[in-house]
Amino acid sequence: MLFRMVKLRLLNMIAPAYFFTATVVTFVLHFFLFMPTIFRTPDVMFNPTMLVHAVVLLYLMANALGNYTMTIWFPSESANETVVPVCSPDCPDRIDAHYLLNGCHFCKVCKKVILKRDHHCFFTGNCIGNRNMRYFIMFSIYTSSCCLYSLVIGVAYLTVEYSISFENPLTFLTLLPLSTGYFFLGLISGLQLFLVLMLYIWLGIGLVSAGFCCQQLLLVARGQTWCQLQKGQLEESHGSWMANLSDVFGSRWALGLFLPVRTVETIPGNWQVYHDHKHE
């Protein structure tokens, strides 16, 4: 038990560092390698196409980082809990959290009581719940978009710079093992192998983020959480899907789709009153 808890705390520190490192590397590769190579025009100082791609990338990255910050800035902890409540009799004694009464959880990693806890996100270093679910979903959307966009630009760079054709789908599937073998044989440089690795990292993060986003949207529409899914409490939905989405995204939800701004006001101490009223 102690060893697994140490691993969770270590992951809680490493994951945010990994995210920021991948963000910086993505920025550097785009602006100092990909775009100057793909969109270079010797006789033209101002390239409108390159400017469009730069704006798109900066917009995606700004929204991903903005919603990432908002997820951390508005945690779902209870400000009124000075003493940890006693566990419910049906508490499964999970590794990372204890189920408490009234729909709350005590997160062992955060060491806080979390309101309407969905899960602990190691990339943000805190729990996702009633106050920051909207920001986490938008963070997942824009992170996925940014990674998949980077994947497309990276493939375009390899096509232009190294004349690699991706018309055959097997080309991408065999790119990493072949590149690794060529690197150890001294046929390609470390930079080329690193670029190939980044393509697979972008693909992996993009698909995982997209999967998280779809899962969370489905649960939010049903008025339920990942913790309830793990306990098998998905027999019935709570409220209409429009009301459930409005609870998470707020009345200014359209603005939140395009900008990382606060669109919903949730007072942590009042959530239980809302919860009880909703289930009467």
Side-chain angles (χ1 to χ4, degrees), residues 65-134:
L65 291 172
N67 284 287
Y68 179 86
T69 303
M70 298 287 275
T71 304
I72 300 173
W73 192 260
F74 297 104
S76 295
E77 63 196 59
S78 172
N80 298 331
E81 297 288 354
T82 56
V83 179
V84 178
V86 178
C87 275
S88 171
D90 62 343
C91 176
D93 192 26
R94 295 182 53 207
I95 295 298
D96 64 333
H98 275 303
Y99 172 70
L100 308 177
L101 297 176
N102 301 324
C104 298
H105 288 78
F106 176 74
C107 178
K108 298 179 183 179
V109 182
C110 297
K111 293 185 177 180
K112 297 175 182 176
V113 176
I114 307 299
L115 303 178
K116 202 176 181 182
R117 183 181 188 268
D118 187 88
H119 68 283
H120 183 92
C121 175
F122 291 99
F123 278 101
T124 60
N126 66 356
C127 282
I128 306 301
N130 68 314
R131 296 187 70 201
N132 55 9
M133 175 61 74
R134 165 256 185 273

Side-chain angles (χ1 to χ4, degrees), residues 15-261:
Y18 170 79
F19 173 75
F20 281 114
T21 301
T23 301
V24 172
V25 170
T26 299
F27 180 88
V28 172
L29 287 178
H30 271 277
F31 284 91
F32 295 95
L33 190 62
F34 293 168
M35 292 185 182
T37 301
I38 298 174
F39 307 110
R40 60 186 170 192
T41 49
D43 300 328
V44 179
M45 295 182 59
F46 179 78
N47 191 328
T49 306
M50 182 176 178
L51 178 61
V52 169
H53 282 272
V55 170
V56 170
L57 178 67
L58 289 176
Y59 174 76
L60 295 177
M61 295 186 73
N63 272 278
L65 291 172
N67 284 287
Y68 179 86
T69 303
M70 298 287 275
T71 304
I72 300 173
W73 192 260
F74 297 104
S76 295
E77 63 196 59
S78 172
N80 298 331
E81 297 288 354
T82 56
V83 179
V84 178
V86 178
C87 275
S88 171
D90 62 343
C91 176
D93 192 26
R94 295 182 53 207
I95 295 298
D96 64 333
H98 275 303
Y99 172 70
L100 308 177
L101 297 176
N102 301 324
C104 298
H105 288 78
F106 176 74
C107 178
K108 298 179 183 179
V109 182
C110 297
K111 293 185 177 180
K112 297 175 182 176
V113 176
I114 307 299
L115 303 178
K116 202 176 181 182
R117 183 181 188 268
D118 187 88
H119 68 283
H120 183 92
C121 175
F122 291 99
F123 278 101
T124 60
N126 66 356
C127 282
I128 306 301
N130 68 314
R131 296 187 70 201
N132 55 9
M133 175 61 74
R134 165 256 185 273
Y135 308 115
F136 174 76
I137 291 176
M138 297 310 301
F139 161 67
S140 299
I141 290 176
Y142 279 103
T143 298
S144 176
S145 300
C146 186
C147 287
L148 296 179
Y149 179 80
S150 299
L151 174 64
V152 173
I153 298 297
V155 168
Y157 171 82
L158 293 181
T159 302
V160 172
E161 186 70 9
Y162 301 109
S163 301
I164 300 177
S165 175
F166 289 90
E167 294 182 359
N168 189 339
L170 291 177
T171 301
F172 186 84
L173 297 177
T174 59
L175 187 60
L176 181 59
L178 290 177
S179 299
T180 304
Y182 290 156
F183 172 75
F184 285 107
L185 292 175
L187 300 178
I188 62 174
S189 65
L191 175 61
Q192 291 171 296
L193 178 61
F194 176 74
L195 293 177
V196 173
L197 288 173
M198 286 304 300
L199 293 184
Y200 284 86
I201 290 175
W202 286 325
L203 177 63
I205 296 178
L207 293 180
V208 169
S209 297
F212 262 117
C213 176
C214 294
Q215 171 188 277
Q216 297 305 135
L217 284 174
L218 179 61
L219 289 174
V220 167
R222 291 177 59 90
Q224 295 163 329
T225 65
W226 175 250
C227 286
Q228 291 176 325
L229 178 64
Q230 290 184 314
K231 293 179 64 177
Q233 298 177 343
L234 296 182
E235 291 82 2
E236 61 180 28
S237 300
H238 306 296
S240 67
W241 66 270
M242 292 186 64
N244 293 329
L245 289 175
S246 178
D247 290 339
V248 171
F249 287 90
S251 58
R252 298 183 297 164
W253 60 270
L255 180 62
L257 295 180
F258 302 101
L259 295 174
V261 296

